Amino acid sequence: MTSSTKVFFLKVIIHLGALLPLANLYFLAFGDGLGADPVEVVIHFTGIGALNLLLITLSISPLAKIFKQGYLLQTRRVLGLYAYTYALFHVLNFLSFEVQFDGALFISEVIERPYITVGMVAFLLLTALAITSISKLKRKMGKSWQRLHNFNYLIALLVTVHFYWSVKSELTSPLFYLAIVLLLLLFRVKKIKRLLLSLFT
Ligand code: HEM
């Protein structure tokens, strides 16, 4: 099988794997199929979905290197855009079901609840990455595109903090995610050192 055929099949799997669960979630939500607290289920599902997709996106480059499968890199853009789509639904769920599109209430939530503040910063950064993933913009931005997209690592950390802070008792899942983020950062130690050095010199 050629690399482009492999990429084609992988992209079909990614589209189906990302879109079908999302469609099923809202089908169940609007058909009263999500139990006593559908809002909580919808916010949880889209939040965890966004984080999972973000971490899968960040794993592609180390996996491609370890298994010498360079074509895998061609799936990063679509995976990243689905991470953003899930994050967008997560925030829209919060805006519509938790604060009923009340702008003032939303702003006070962002200011008063630190976990929402952190989530908002992560969401704004993700929005910048999603917009600049458009090919024309990527070409125009040149080297600064890579610099901006290095924020992916910071976003993963911020989302893990947002998750950790949002849970009241059960800390196993956020700590598990933190371990994965740290492992992924470990693969980029050299790059991160270089980034930090360029910031402080
Ligand atoms: C304005 C931005 C955001 C708002 C208002 C927001 C809001 C929320 C809320 C209300 C919860 C549920 C907390 C609870 O159970 O009481 C939550 C949890 C969560 N959010 Fe966000 N979030 C934002 C951004 C993000 C982003 C950008 C991501 C991922 C890319 C994300 C991922 C998560 C995760 C993984 C959880 C934990 C899921 C759970 O166990 O319930 N959030 N967020």
Side-chain angles (χ1 to χ4, degrees):
M1 205 192 288
T2 64
S3 290
S4 52
T5 318
K6 285 182 194 166
V7 171
F8 172 77
F9 282 116
L10 277 174
K11 283 190 178 172
V12 170
I13 293 170
I14 293 166
H15 285 303
L16 294 177
L19 288 175
L20 291 181
L22 204 56
N24 184 47
L25 177 76
Y26 288 102
F27 177 74
L28 288 175
F30 291 110
D32 271 345
L34 290 182
D37 195 347
V39 171
E40 193 190 321
V41 177
V42 168
I43 289 185
H44 172 88
F45 189 89
T46 47
I48 289 286
L51 179 55
N52 284 340
L53 284 160
L54 196 62
L55 296 184
I56 294 173
T57 313
L58 288 177
S59 325
I60 294 295
S61 159
L63 286 176
K65 251 187 216 154
I66 294 168
F67 297 105
K68 297 190 172 48
Q69 305 289 327
Y71 65 87
L72 285 177
L73 297 178
Q74 292 176 53
T75 61
R76 278 187 307 184
R77 183 167 174 262
V78 67
L79 279 166
L81 284 174
Y82 274 123
Y84 183 67
T85 308
Y86 269 68
L88 184 62
F89 274 97
H90 179 68
V91 176
L92 287 176
N93 290 325
F94 181 79
L95 271 173
S96 54
F97 303 127
E98 295 268 4
V99 296
Q100 282 82 34
F101 292 110
D102 180 336
L105 180 60
F106 178 65
I107 291 170
S108 78
E109 289 282 81
V110 173
I111 295 170
E112 282 163 26
R113 293 209 214 179
Y115 86 90
I116 302 273
T117 319
V118 173
M120 187 69 193
V121 174
F123 182 68
L124 290 177
L125 288 171
L126 260 184
T127 305
L129 299 199
I131 292 172
T132 53
S133 71
I134 298 167
S135 308
K136 264 190 188 167
L137 274 179
K138 185 179 173 182
R139 268 195 304 274
K140 265 194 185 164
M141 288 175 73
K143 273 190 178 169
S144 53
W145 186 89
Q146 188 52 56
R147 237 175 281 144
L148 178 67
H149 280 250
N150 285 333
F151 275 105
N152 253 321
Y153 312 120
L154 178 66
I155 295 171
L157 270 177
L158 289 175
V159 173
T160 317
V161 172
H162 167 72
F163 186 4
Y164 181 86
W165 241 338
S166 79
V167 292
K168 283 104 201 163
S169 50
E170 204 269 314
L171 292 179
T172 322
S173 310
L175 288 175
F176 170 75
Y177 276 97
L178 180 65
I180 297 181
V181 172
L182 292 178
L183 185 71
L184 287 171
L185 288 177
L186 213 64
F187 279 106
R188 276 117 168 148
V189 164
K190 276 189 193 160
K191 192 173 182 179
I192 292 167
K193 262 190 192 164
R194 242 185 295 128
L195 278 173
L196 291 175
L197 274 175
S198 68
L199 276 179
F200 296 110
T201 53

